[in-house]
Amino acid sequence: SDRPAILEVRDLHAWYGESHILHGVNFAVGEGEVVSLLGRNGAGKTTTLRAIMGLVGRRTGAIKHRGDEIVSLTPDRIARRGIAYCPEERGIFASLTVEENLMLPPVVQPGGLPVEEIYELFPNLKERRTGASGTRLSGGEQQMLAIGRILRTGAKLLLLDEPTEGLAPVIVQQIGASVRRLRDLGFTILLVEQNFHFAARLADRHYVIEHGVVVDRYSRDDINQRMGELNKLLGV
Ligand code: ATP
């Protein structure tokens, strides 16, 4: 990428207890890019996002955010730098309303989106703002809420873990449109995806993770030409 790196990951190793999961992951994300991490189940994609956030047992190597080393910071300090993680399980509080969920994460940096702007991005959420999140929200709306609430915090680097997981195609398209809009608004997005076609359409660049190592990289142009090879690699 020719953009200045907002995130540089070098020789990243990560462990859960005694299990050594990442074996030297290398990649970089330029400011304003959408970058995807592709790979089969269990390849280490989620662990890579969690390691960036400091949410694994132990990690070594280098993780540079805007040039500063963050590999030894606590999750709280990492979040306060303006890096937000949207987990696959979404983490919506069912007993709170949509708006209460939206207001929950603390603001960490200036420049977060006002609530009204978040509702413009995700009109479904506005319709349901006073409804309980547990009973009234579809899977897609829960995903929109999970993304929406990190936009308020001022985080500029968003780590999205399988945002399309379990969603109907029409909702997947809506999520894709929202991610594009977020890029237009200046957010940088690192995306983990099983939905390879979604990632191929959306991301500027891709890295393939296998057994805890980045084994390949693809530009937006490569991905169409090398689709067959990638299908085989990912087993889709
Ligand atoms: P998936 O789509 O299944 O999430 P992934 O590429 O994101 O795939 P990870 O979730 O990063 O894979 O898992 C990588 C490896 O780490 C797997 O072998 C998994 O069993 C193991 N693992 C994940 N979480 C833990 C944990 N909390 N404790 C121990 N091992 C774990």
Side-chain angles (χ1 to χ4, degrees):
S1 164
D2 47 4
R3 297 171 188 253
I6 187 170
L7 185 73
E8 271 184 272
V9 173
R10 292 282 167 260
D11 196 30
L12 178 64
H13 290 248
W15 289 260
Y16 285 118
E18 295 295 299
S19 305
H20 189 177
I21 309 290
L22 300 185
H23 298 266
V25 167
N26 292 289
F27 67 95
V29 181
E31 178 132 41
E33 279 191 307
V34 177
V35 170
S36 89
L37 301 178
L38 302 171
R40 293 170 186 257
N41 275 336
K45 305 179 301 293
T46 296
T47 305
T48 300
L49 298 189
R50 293 182 57 88
I52 293 165
M53 295 309 294
L55 299 171
V56 295
R58 188 160 81 84
R59 60 208 191 286
T60 65
I63 305 174
K64 291 211 164 149
H65 176 236
R66 301 188 187 279
D68 298 332
E69 183 55 69
I70 63 167
V71 75
S72 56
L73 298 185
T74 58
D76 171 62
R77 295 285 299 280
I78 294 167
R80 273 195 274 150
R81 293 184 58 96
I83 309 176
Y85 173 50
C86 191
E88 191 178 346
E89 62 276 13
R90 296 166 188 154
I92 302 302
F93 291 91
S95 61
L96 302 181
T97 65
V98 166
E99 190 143 303
E100 285 166 344
N101 267 286
L102 213 49
M103 300 307 285
L104 207 58
V107 171
V108 292
Q109 295 272 326
L113 297 189
V115 171
E116 287 309 322
E117 207 167 318
I118 297 170
Y119 285 140
E120 270 172 42
L121 274 166
F122 301 111
N124 291 34
L125 296 183
K126 185 168 191 173
E127 285 168 29
R128 308 210 189 295
R129 68 199 291 172
T130 58
S133 301
T135 49
R136 303 265 308 279
L137 295 190
S138 67
E141 289 163 349
Q142 287 179 35
Q143 183 62 57
M144 291 169 191
L145 181 51
I147 297 174
R149 70 178 175 186
I150 60 180
L151 304 177
R152 240 191 84 252
T153 65
K156 298 290 158 35
L157 173 57
L158 313 181
L159 314 185
L160 307 185
D161 200 345
E162 298 208 24
T164 68
E165 169 79 28
L167 303 181
V170 61
I171 311 296
V172 169
Q173 279 188 16
Q174 283 179 27
I175 301 279
S178 306
V179 170
R180 279 193 199 92
R181 180 96 183 86
L182 293 177
R183 177 180 40 202
D184 294 344
L185 288 170
F187 290 93
T188 303
I189 293 160
L190 177 60
L191 186 75
V192 160
E193 262 304 331
Q194 294 283 351
N195 185 339
F196 160 59
H197 294 283
F198 174 80
R201 296 231 312 267
L202 199 59
D204 301 303
R205 296 185 303 111
H206 309 266
Y207 292 93
V208 179
I209 299 192
E210 212 173 311
H211 304 303
V213 178
V214 170
V215 295
D216 211 344
R217 49 181 293 174
Y218 293 80
S219 70
R220 188 189 280 287
D221 297 334
D222 292 339
I223 199 133
N224 295 310
Q225 287 169 29
R226 296 165 68 195
M227 195 72 89
E229 161 193 339
L230 198 52
N231 276 330
K232 208 156 103 194
L233 196 67
L234 300 176
V236 290

